[in-house]
Amino acid sequence: MAGEAPELTAEQKRWAFFGSTLFLTAVGFLGYAVAEGVMLAFAIGWVVLQVFGYAGSLSRAKGDFAHPLFKSQVMIHFVVLGLLVALVLRGPPGS
């Protein structure tokens, strides 16, 4: 059929998995932030940046998950996850 998408390569599947895992992590953290009332700006901003970043990079890469532009988006959000982990491990101020 003309409307069927082509089969993804192993590399494309791997990068799509990494991107979707980071996105689900951001959405999960957003739920936690809303429930606890902490770091709301960070949580909302991270999800919004992922939506626009992934959508923009995929449109410019013509849907190729293994394109360097999409890979760079994934790595940027991996760094953001590292920053979030560092903030959580640091703990509240004064502790």
Side-chain angles (χ1 to χ4, degrees):
M1 297 189 90
E4 290 185 27
E7 186 67 28
L8 296 177
T9 65
E11 184 181 18
Q12 288 173 324
K13 289 178 183 177
R14 187 171 38 253
W15 283 101
F17 173 76
F18 293 151
S20 62
T21 302
L22 285 170
F23 182 74
L24 291 175
T25 302
V27 170
F29 181 68
L30 177 60
Y32 173 79
V34 169
E36 297 295 322
V38 295
M39 296 181 65
L40 282 171
F42 179 91
I44 294 168
W46 191 20
V47 172
V48 169
L49 284 174
Q50 283 194 28
V51 168
F52 285 109
Y54 289 151
S57 66
L58 280 175
S59 69
R60 286 170 183 76
K62 297 180 179 45
D64 182 11
F65 290 106
H67 192 277
L69 188 57
F70 183 78
K71 289 179 182 180
S72 67
Q73 280 293 319
V74 172
M75 295 310 294
I76 286 170
H77 293 295
F78 184 72
V79 169
V80 172
L81 178 63
L83 292 171
L84 175 63
V85 169
L87 284 171
V88 169
L89 291 178
R90 182 172 174 224
S95 61

